């Protein structure tokens, strides 16, 4: 007994030394992760809404993981899989602020299963191929860290009978099991279905209120639709509709200008490139009223914009210039008009030789953050505003037939996607099945096909969102990754 008591004391001392040598404060962790935040921060992905949304969601989950590590007495943890789009560095670049290319980024996925901040920070940086040298310059003793690491990797191991006798867990065996853990759809639903049901039941009265408010305001103002740019909670959306309702009750005459339009609650007020009325959620009624008063001027600018799109189409053989909300950043009407005007002037001066109407049926979108043209899987051309006219002409000629094939495949894919969504919702008695904008149709189709092969009674009456990660939203919606296991 005395022998085991001595061993127990020695092990506690060793563990304490290791923990002290690996201590990293929350502020130090944030400081150490600066290169990582600079590479993945959503603000740098303004022209890439899909990648921006993935990074926003992953950062929320990462911050939760880091916060848990700093909680006193925190013991239980689950390996957390994260995906980030990391901006690529230009080769041989010495300036950090200028070391990322304008259009390059790569997807990086990794799983966190560490129990201390230092190991977590190093794992994140290494997974993203970012330097870890600066970590040693923080308030962490590099020598003590290396010594602690050597203790962890010591060749001498405690005999397995020691852990059997004392009841303590073998740290090597525990780590090995944690690394093997992989979240599956069934296991995740087992753990989270009950909590999601409670949240969903609490949200039902607010959901009904939201539908009522949306219907009444749409009817009263003769709106085409009411939408939200971000995935705000139901309570937040109700609050925004109540604000609009109070403005309606005040009876401003200018509200007649919104007839037939779509209202979008977003971060700023104005009119979007798609012609929707944007109501900034941080603005007061005075700002909204001013916007409604300016709507006639916006409608005039919109007519000029449509004329400009038509002129560009004529210069490019009849190809249609389109704006896709799901794939492009939320631009104001003024911003988009300036982009079109600049592009039109460049085309007009270049005198490109396209046969009239030879490209009718094809589509293109303008992008301000790329330098080379490309063809989207859905068939539309993605044309940089700075693209050289000669390069543009050659690329469109070379890819025209492939673009037509992609457009046809897109129509077939959209039909298949809708059929699978309807079939899946019916089979599992879902109240709602939808996807995040960052999930492509091909990913949604693959996800639904595999779901239909399963038996999932947990989903009855639930709201299921297909995403890139597992999560339960505040109103009870279940989010699962499209490539679930």
């Amino acid at each position: 007994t005395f022998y085991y008591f001595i061993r127990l004391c020695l092990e506690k001392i060793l563990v304490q030394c290791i923990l002290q040598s690996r201590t990293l404060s929350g502020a130090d962790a944030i400081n150490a992760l600066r290169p990582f935040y600079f590479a993945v921060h959503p603000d740098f992905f303004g022209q890439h809404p899909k990648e921006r949304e993935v990074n926003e969601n992953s950062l929320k989950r990462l911050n939760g993981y880091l916060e848990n590590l700093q909680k006193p007495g925190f013991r239980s943890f689950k390996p957390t899989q994260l995906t980030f789009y990391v901006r690529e560095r230009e080769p041989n670049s010495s300036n950090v602020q200028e070391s990322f290319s304008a259009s390059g980024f790569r997807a990086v996925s990794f799983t966190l299963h560490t129990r201390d901040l230092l190991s977590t920070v190093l794992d994140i940086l290494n997974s993203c191929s970012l330097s870890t040298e600066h970590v040693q310059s923080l308030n962490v003793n590099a020598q003590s860290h290396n010594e602690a690491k050597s203790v962890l990797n010591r060749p001498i191991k405690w005999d397995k009978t020691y852990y059997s006798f004392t009841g303590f867990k073998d740290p090597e065996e525990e780590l090995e099991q944690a690394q093997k853990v992989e979240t599956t759809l069934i296991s995740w639903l087992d753990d989270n279905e009950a909590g999601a049901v409670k949240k969903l039941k609490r949200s039902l009265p607010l959901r009904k209120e939201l539908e009522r408010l949306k219907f009444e305001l749409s009817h009263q103002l003769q709106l085409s639709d009411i939408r939200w740019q971000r995935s705000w909670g139901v309570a937040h959306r109700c609050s925004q509709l109540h604000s609009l309702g109070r403005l309606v009750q005040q009876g401003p005459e200018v509200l007649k200008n919104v007839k037939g339009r779509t209202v979008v609650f977003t971060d700023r007020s104005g009119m979007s490139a798609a012609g929707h009325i944007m109501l900034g959620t941080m603005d007061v009624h005075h700002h909204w009223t001013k916007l409604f008063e300016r709507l006639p001027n916006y409608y005039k600018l919109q007519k000029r914009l449509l004329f400009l799109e038509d002129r560009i189409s004529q210069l490019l053989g009849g190809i249609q210039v389109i704006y896709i909300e799901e794939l492009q950043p939320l631009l104001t009407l003024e911003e988009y008009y300036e982009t079109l005007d600049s592009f039109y002037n460049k085309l007009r001066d270049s005198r490109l030789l396209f046969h009239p109407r030879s490209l009718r049926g094809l589509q293109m979108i303008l992008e301000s953050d790329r330098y080379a043209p490309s063809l989207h899987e859905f068939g539309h051309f993605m044309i940089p505003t700075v693209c050289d006219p000669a390069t543009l002409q050659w690329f469109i000629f070379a890819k025209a037939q492939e673009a037509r094939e992609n457009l046809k495949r897109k129509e077939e894919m959209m039909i298949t996607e809708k059929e699978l969504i309807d079939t899946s919702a019916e089979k599992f008695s879902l109240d709602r099945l939808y996807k995040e904008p960052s999930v492509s149709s091909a990913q949604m189709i693959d996800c639904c096909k595999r779901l239909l092969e399963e038996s999932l009674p947990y989903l009855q009456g639930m709201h299921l969102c297909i995403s890139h990660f597992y999560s339960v939203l505040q109103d009870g919606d279940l989010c699962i990754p499209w490539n679930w296991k």
Side-chain angles (χ1 to χ4, degrees), residues 71-203:
K71 292 179 180 177
F74 180 75
R75 291 291 180 268
S76 62
F77 79 104
K78 292 182 180 180
T80 300
Q81 185 173 359
L82 300 172
T83 297
F84 285 99
Y85 285 95
V86 181
R87 297 193 297 149
E88 290 279 23
R89 290 179 179 273
E90 291 285 8
N92 304 323
S93 177
S94 58
N95 187 332
V96 174
Q97 296 296 327
E98 298 177 354
S99 60
F100 291 98
S101 64
S103 59
F105 48 78
R106 55 193 167 87
V108 174
S109 296
F110 54 89
T111 301
L112 294 178
H113 46 70
T114 46
R115 295 193 178 197
D116 63 90
L117 282 174
L118 180 56
S119 296
T120 303
V121 167
L122 293 173
D123 274 3
I124 293 171
L125 294 173
N126 286 324
S127 297
C128 297
S129 302
L130 297 171
S131 173
T132 59
E133 292 180 4
H134 64 287
V135 178
Q136 304 299 341
S137 65
L138 300 173
N139 297 327
V140 180
N141 188 296
Q143 183 177 356
S144 63
H145 171 63
N146 290 333
E147 290 173 356
K149 192 172 182 179
S150 66
V151 172
L152 279 177
N153 297 329
R154 64 190 186 279
I156 301 175
K157 299 181 180 179
W158 299 109
D159 192 276
K160 299 293 182 183
T161 57
Y162 165 70
Y163 298 104
S164 301
F165 180 83
T166 61
F168 289 102
K169 293 183 178 180
D170 184 343
E172 291 186 357
E173 183 179 325
E174 194 176 18
L175 178 61
E176 184 179 346
Q177 289 177 351
Q179 291 173 338
K180 290 180 180 179
V181 171
E182 183 177 21
T183 303
T184 64
L185 179 60
I186 300 297
S187 65
W188 186 82
L189 288 174
D190 281 336
D191 294 338
N192 294 277
E193 185 262 346
V197 169
K198 289 181 180 179
K199 290 183 177 181
L200 180 61
K201 286 183 178 178
R202 284 200 302 265
S203 73

Side-chain angles (χ1 to χ4, degrees), residues 41 63 65 133 174 177 214 333 401:
H41 199 282
N63 290 337
Y65 190 94
E133 292 180 4
E174 194 176 18
Q177 289 177 351
K214 184 177 177 180
L333 197 68
Q401 183 56 36

Side-chain angles (χ1 to χ4, degrees), residues 128-397:
C128 297
S129 302
L130 297 171
S131 173
T132 59
E133 292 180 4
H134 64 287
V135 178
Q136 304 299 341
S137 65
L138 300 173
N139 297 327
V140 180
N141 188 296
Q143 183 177 356
S144 63
H145 171 63
N146 290 333
E147 290 173 356
K149 192 172 182 179
S150 66
V151 172
L152 279 177
N153 297 329
R154 64 190 186 279
I156 301 175
K157 299 181 180 179
W158 299 109
D159 192 276
K160 299 293 182 183
T161 57
Y162 165 70
Y163 298 104
S164 301
F165 180 83
T166 61
F168 289 102
K169 293 183 178 180
D170 184 343
E172 291 186 357
E173 183 179 325
E174 194 176 18
L175 178 61
E176 184 179 346
Q177 289 177 351
Q179 291 173 338
K180 290 180 180 179
V181 171
E182 183 177 21
T183 303
T184 64
L185 179 60
I186 300 297
S187 65
W188 186 82
L189 288 174
D190 281 336
D191 294 338
N192 294 277
E193 185 262 346
V197 169
K198 289 181 180 179
K199 290 183 177 181
L200 180 61
K201 286 183 178 178
R202 284 200 302 265
S203 73
L204 289 179
L206 274 177
R207 290 180 186 270
K208 291 181 179 178
E209 174 71 359
L210 179 66
E211 289 302 314
R212 183 188 68 80
L213 289 170
K214 184 177 177 180
F215 174 80
E216 289 182 358
L217 284 171
S218 296
H219 179 73
Q220 191 171 0
L221 298 176
Q222 300 184 56
L223 296 173
S224 174
D225 194 10
I226 297 178
R227 301 179 190 171
W228 285 265
Q229 179 196 4
R230 300 190 181 278
S231 53
W232 285 298
V234 177
H236 197 168
R237 296 188 182 201
C238 283
S239 176
Q240 292 160 359
L241 291 183
H242 277 301
S243 293
L244 181 58
R246 285 192 293 272
L247 185 61
V248 172
Q249 289 174 1
Q250 295 172 8
E253 188 67 19
V254 292
L255 280 171
K256 64 183 181 182
N257 294 329
V258 304
K259 181 179 178 180
R261 294 283 171 166
T262 293
V263 167
V264 182
F265 288 97
T266 181
D267 296 328
R268 52 179 174 168
S269 297
M271 178 168 279
S272 73
H276 302 326
I277 299 169
M278 303 189 302
L279 298 182
T281 56
M282 301 301 291
D283 292 338
V284 295
H285 286 178
H286 172 72
H287 295 107
W288 288 2
T289 302
K290 289 292 185 182
L291 168 63
F292 294 141
E293 290 173 351
R294 293 197 303 269
L295 285 179
N297 291 330
Y298 276 119
Y299 297 154
K300 292 178 183 178
L301 180 60
Q302 188 180 26
K303 289 182 179 180
R304 291 167 56 194
L305 185 146
L306 294 174
F307 175 76
L308 205 51
E309 286 182 339
D310 186 60
R311 295 292 295 167
I312 292 173
S313 175
Q314 292 178 21
L315 292 174
L316 294 178
I319 191 170
Q320 183 185 8
V321 183
I322 60 174
Y323 175 84
I324 305 178
E325 290 180 284
E326 294 81 8
L327 299 178
Q328 295 179 259
L330 188 64
L331 299 176
T332 64
L333 197 68
E334 299 95 326
E335 291 169 341
Y336 190 47
Y337 182 85
E338 289 179 5
T339 299
L340 287 172
D341 188 52
S342 174
F343 185 70
Y344 169 70
N345 290 330
K346 178 183 290 188
L347 287 180
R348 184 185 56 187
D349 297 338
S350 64
R351 300 182 183 276
L352 294 178
L353 299 176
F354 283 98
H355 190 279
R357 298 184 295 280
S358 61
L359 299 177
R360 287 187 66 181
L362 297 182
Q363 300 173 337
M364 61 169 278
I365 65 175
L366 283 175
E367 294 195 328
S368 59
D369 68 331
R370 293 179 181 268
Y371 291 97
S374 61
L375 178 63
H376 193 271
E377 62 177 343
F378 277 176
H380 57 264
F381 289 97
M382 304 169 72
I383 306 300
T385 55
V386 297
C387 186
D388 173 66
T391 302
L392 170 65
Q393 178 170 300
W394 175 87
F395 185 82
I396 292 179
F397 278 146

